[in-house]
Amino acid sequence: MSFIATAQSMHFAQPLALQSGASIRDYALSYETYGTLNADKSNAVLICHALNASHHVAGVYANQPRSEGWWDNMVGPGKSVDTDHFFVIGINNLGSCFGSTGPTHLNPDTGEVYGANFPVVTVEDWVDAQARLLDVLGIQQLAAVMGGSLGGMQALSWTLRYPARVRHAVVIASAPNLTAENIAFNEVARRAIVTDPDFHGGHFYAHGVVPKRGLRIARMIGHITYLSDDVMNEKFGRHLRDAAKAVQGGVAGEAAGYLFSTQEVEFQIESYLRYQGDKFAEYFDANTYLLITRALDYFDPARAYAGDLGLALAQASCKFLLVSFTTDWRFSPQRSREIVKALLRNRRNVSYAEIDAPHGHDAFLLEDARYLAEVRSYFERIAKEFA
Amino acid sequence: MSFIATAQSMHFAQPLALQSGASIRDYALSYETYGTLNADKSNAVLICHALNASHHVAGVYANQPRSEGWWDNMVGPGKSVDTDHFFVIGINNLGSCFGSTGPTHLNPDTGEVYGANFPVVTVEDWVDAQARLLDVLGIQQLAAVMGGSLGGMQALSWTLRYPARVRHAVVIASAPNLTAENIAFNEVARRAIVTDPDFHGGHFYAHGVVPKRGLRIARMIGHITYLSDDVMNEKFGRHLRDAAKAVQGGVAGEAAGYLFSTQEVEFQIESYLRYQGDKFAEYFDANTYLLITRALDYFDPARAYAGDLGLALAQASCKFLLVSFTTDWRFSPQRSREIVKALLRNRRNVSYAEIDAPHGHDAFLLEDARYLAEVRSYFERIAKEFA
């Protein structure tokens, strides 16, 4: 079992100006910290989360034994990001449904639940909100900012918006922007949610319903893109649902074991996806899903530089570790290499590890000896800077 | 403009036994023929269709100028499959919604619309039904059977169920079975349809509604998997919807042109997908979509041989042309090579062309000089057999 983590919350009364031109006030951010901030406050590491994660990065909650944080294999005492040396901060982003102010909360301007009226937030907005939390914690400069996938985009954005406040950025399984295919998958997921009759234009809370049908479809699509073709074949292949195995025994021919049904579960991959979809629809907020996928779509630091990523990253001054995974087809190694090249063009100090892992995009959350060792050795070097 | 095609229909009173153990009687098959059957009936080519196509392979319908068949660039006078030499048959499969008996038709046993009660049909069932049509047309042996994608699976199945009735099989952009990822995408599409409240358990006709929400999502998912990542980036990239361009002019910064909306169309890829989804939902039958994706899932000739494709294909005796496309990630070249290897293990005569095309799975329907030339030269060789 891991150490005990405690969720905290910080309230911000001052309005935060958003990229859209709107602003938000009287919001709260949930966060957790692990380890001890040193005297000169130079050992802080900020961990940014991806689509469906939260501030609960590591540890377990008291009396909730199976409540490990989403990066508990990465962060903790003696782990790759060693909380015996670093003061690690996990933070939940604005618009989320895990504690920080989001669509399920009251809009102080109207006294009603935000719902679909929650302002559209971007990666840059999240970074600005995270910077304010650091201000309150008295942390002027981060030893490192770190994240995977959408979390990696936030880490990258930190180096551009607050170059003087970051010494290292660790950007894992990420990309400088979404491809058309990435946006397409997000859009299908959003359409599934928005066209669910229980969505009610995003104000379903008032109707006492949840657009679970849409959330399930969204999650199923997501899961397919998180896994590699190979790992799906290895894990599920064309295996029939468990019940079929018994039926199948002894029966010969191609049709053996098939139910010949279009609606019942026939293959194991189907029951896996349905289970993942059902589980997700129980706890995730539909408006949050829309907001977070949109933040992914919008992120594109090169956009203001006519697509020139080298120019866009010229502002970054910190050192970088980038990691990608060979079978990740959502954010392929090629996308990480684009970032590496753009940084090298600016003569930045960049380490890059391309990990040969079978698990697709999900690999960034999983146990992989070489991956965890690469991150460990990078953080050991950072630790020497203030040792 | 192409030549004039005329749809025909053939009624079959005798029951057809299906793989599931069920049977179907009093069904009709829609078909078209192009060219002239020669005296010894040795120049017939059967074209099998994929998911959303039909018997209308080539030509246009009288007084419908933009009604070209789905493979009009491949089949016709002087084309790769030259109807000046071959008698080409296009056929619509059982369970379809384009003329042949399917879920929208009356069940003769009940006098009611089949709907969700239409029997589950397999690739093998379609091949058996096609063989019966050839019986009536007096065609004992095909010069060739040909298809792309799911149509290629039917061509492959022909060589196993009726080896003596096929001299050549042309299997394009196909696979010996679906991978777990392929099944996963089908399953998400089916869940979108089945969980649409307008589906009514598949008996929506009686309610005067159509599960358009589900059909739209299904089609959007399909479209993503038909295209390559590269061609999507080239065609749509991260371009904003057309209206945004005007707004954008002169405005600087990353946010320029963004609407900051989760539900409105922001990127061109989104409006493309929505348009494709809307169009599809207007004409395609939801029960047919379930049936055809399930036929794809079930196809697996190696299944009766413990997964040994070499053993499964030992029954085939004809010559083969296989074609795949480099950027097809739905049915990748690797899957075609599995078929090629299994045939070579059986010392069959196999030609294989891997076409370097950017368009993904869709490439099999598109103009590509090398592709069309490969098919043309193969059919020229076939034509010499009866010249």
Side-chain angles (χ1 to χ4, degrees), chain A residues 199-269:
Chain A
F199 183 67
H200 295 286
H203 299 287
F204 50 91
Y205 317 100
H207 294 79
V209 292
V210 167
K212 287 190 180 179
R213 287 174 292 247
L215 280 165
R216 285 187 198 112
I217 297 295
R219 184 58 163 178
M220 291 169 88
I221 293 170
H223 254 281
I224 298 174
T225 67
Y226 303 152
L227 298 178
S228 71
D229 195 11
D230 284 351
V231 87
M232 271 184 135
N233 276 331
E234 194 185 310
K235 205 167 167 182
F236 305 105
R238 297 183 48 80
H239 300 308
L240 301 184
R241 73 230 164 271
D242 289 341
K245 289 179 191 160
V247 179
Q248 205 176 346
V251 184
E254 287 174 28
Y258 283 166
L259 288 173
F260 294 103
S261 164
T262 58
Q263 296 186 41
E264 289 171 88
V265 165
E266 187 72 274
F267 297 93
Q268 282 183 17
I269 180 65

Side-chain angles (χ1 to χ4, degrees), chain A residues 67-237:
Chain A
S67 61
E68 280 81 6
W70 56 272
W71 229 347
D72 191 64
N73 59 358
M74 178 70 83
V75 176
K79 296 187 179 172
S80 295
V81 182
D82 190 345
T83 52
D84 289 340
H85 299 291
F86 292 98
F87 177 69
V88 176
I89 305 155
I91 185 168
N92 189 215
N93 285 326
L94 272 174
S96 179
C97 51
F98 295 120
S100 292
T101 300
T104 62
H105 292 95
L106 290 183
N107 180 346
D109 293 336
T110 64
E112 291 174 0
V113 173
Y114 275 112
N117 296 331
F118 195 88
V120 168
V121 282
T122 64
V123 166
E124 290 77 13
D125 295 330
W126 288 334
V127 167
D128 289 351
Q130 291 159 6
R132 282 191 171 189
L133 176 72
L134 296 191
D135 292 344
V136 181
L137 297 177
I139 296 164
Q140 179 51 36
Q141 191 185 52
L142 290 165
V145 59
M146 176 177 181
S149 190
L150 174 57
M153 291 175 167
Q154 293 162 59
L156 185 60
S157 183
W158 258 98
T159 72
L160 305 178
R161 293 183 82 72
Y162 302 99
R165 297 188 72 171
V166 188
R167 291 205 306 278
H168 295 269
V170 180
V171 177
I172 300 176
S174 196
N177 61 27
L178 293 197
T179 63
E181 187 184 83
N182 293 146
I183 297 173
F185 279 121
N186 281 347
E187 173 68 359
V188 182
R190 281 190 296 263
R191 295 313 291 170
I193 290 170
V194 165
T195 63
D196 183 329
D198 285 337
F199 183 67
H200 295 286
H203 299 287
F204 50 91
Y205 317 100
H207 294 79
V209 292
V210 167
K212 287 190 180 179
R213 287 174 292 247
L215 280 165
R216 285 187 198 112
I217 297 295
R219 184 58 163 178
M220 291 169 88
I221 293 170
H223 254 281
I224 298 174
T225 67
Y226 303 152
L227 298 178
S228 71
D229 195 11
D230 284 351
V231 87
M232 271 184 135
N233 276 331
E234 194 185 310
K235 205 167 167 182
F236 305 105

Side-chain angles (χ1 to χ4, degrees), chain A residues 19-21 116 120 122 124 161 177-185 187-188 190-192 194-197 199 201-202 213 216-217 220-221 224-225 227-229 232-233 236-238 240 248 253-267 269-270 273-274 287 290-291 294 296-301 303-305 329, chain B residues 19-21 116 120 122 124 161 177-185 187-188 190-192 194-197 199 201-202 213 216-217 220-221 224-225 227-229 232-233 236-238 240 248 253-267 269-270 273-274 287 290-291 294 296-301 303-305 329:
Chain A
Q19 293 280 302
S20 64
V120 168
T122 64
E124 290 77 13
R161 293 183 82 72
N177 61 27
L178 293 197
T179 63
E181 187 184 83
N182 293 146
I183 297 173
F185 279 121
E187 173 68 359
V188 182
R190 281 190 296 263
R191 295 313 291 170
V194 165
T195 63
D196 183 329
F199 183 67
R213 287 174 292 247
R216 285 187 198 112
I217 297 295
M220 291 169 88
I221 293 170
I224 298 174
T225 67
L227 298 178
S228 71
D229 195 11
M232 271 184 135
N233 276 331
F236 305 105
R238 297 183 48 80
L240 301 184
Q248 205 176 346
E254 287 174 28
Y258 283 166
L259 288 173
F260 294 103
S261 164
T262 58
Q263 296 186 41
E264 289 171 88
V265 165
E266 187 72 274
F267 297 93
I269 180 65
E270 297 174 326
L273 286 177
R274 290 193 195 186
N287 284 307
L290 303 183
L291 288 168
R294 209 38 143 178
L296 272 162
D297 292 355
Y298 282 143
F299 182 68
D300 187 10
R303 190 157 181 274
Y305 299 88
W329 61 278
Chain B
Q19 293 279 302
S20 64
V120 169
T122 64
E124 290 77 13
R161 294 184 80 73
N177 61 28
L178 292 197
T179 63
E181 187 184 83
N182 291 145
I183 297 173
F185 279 121
E187 172 68 359
V188 182
R190 281 191 296 263
R191 295 312 291 169
V194 164
T195 63
D196 183 330
F199 183 66
R213 287 175 291 246
R216 285 188 199 112
I217 297 296
M220 291 169 89
I221 294 169
I224 298 174
T225 67
L227 298 177
S228 71
D229 195 11
M232 272 184 136
N233 275 332
F236 306 103
R238 296 182 49 80
L240 301 184
Q248 205 177 347
E254 287 173 29
Y258 283 165
L259 289 172
F260 293 101
S261 163
T262 57
Q263 296 186 40
E264 288 173 87
V265 165
E266 187 73 274
F267 296 93
I269 181 64
E270 297 174 327
L273 286 177
R274 290 193 195 185
N287 285 306
L290 302 183
L291 288 168
R294 209 39 144 178
L296 272 161
D297 292 355
Y298 281 144
F299 182 69
D300 189 8
R303 190 158 181 275
Y305 299 88
W329 60 280

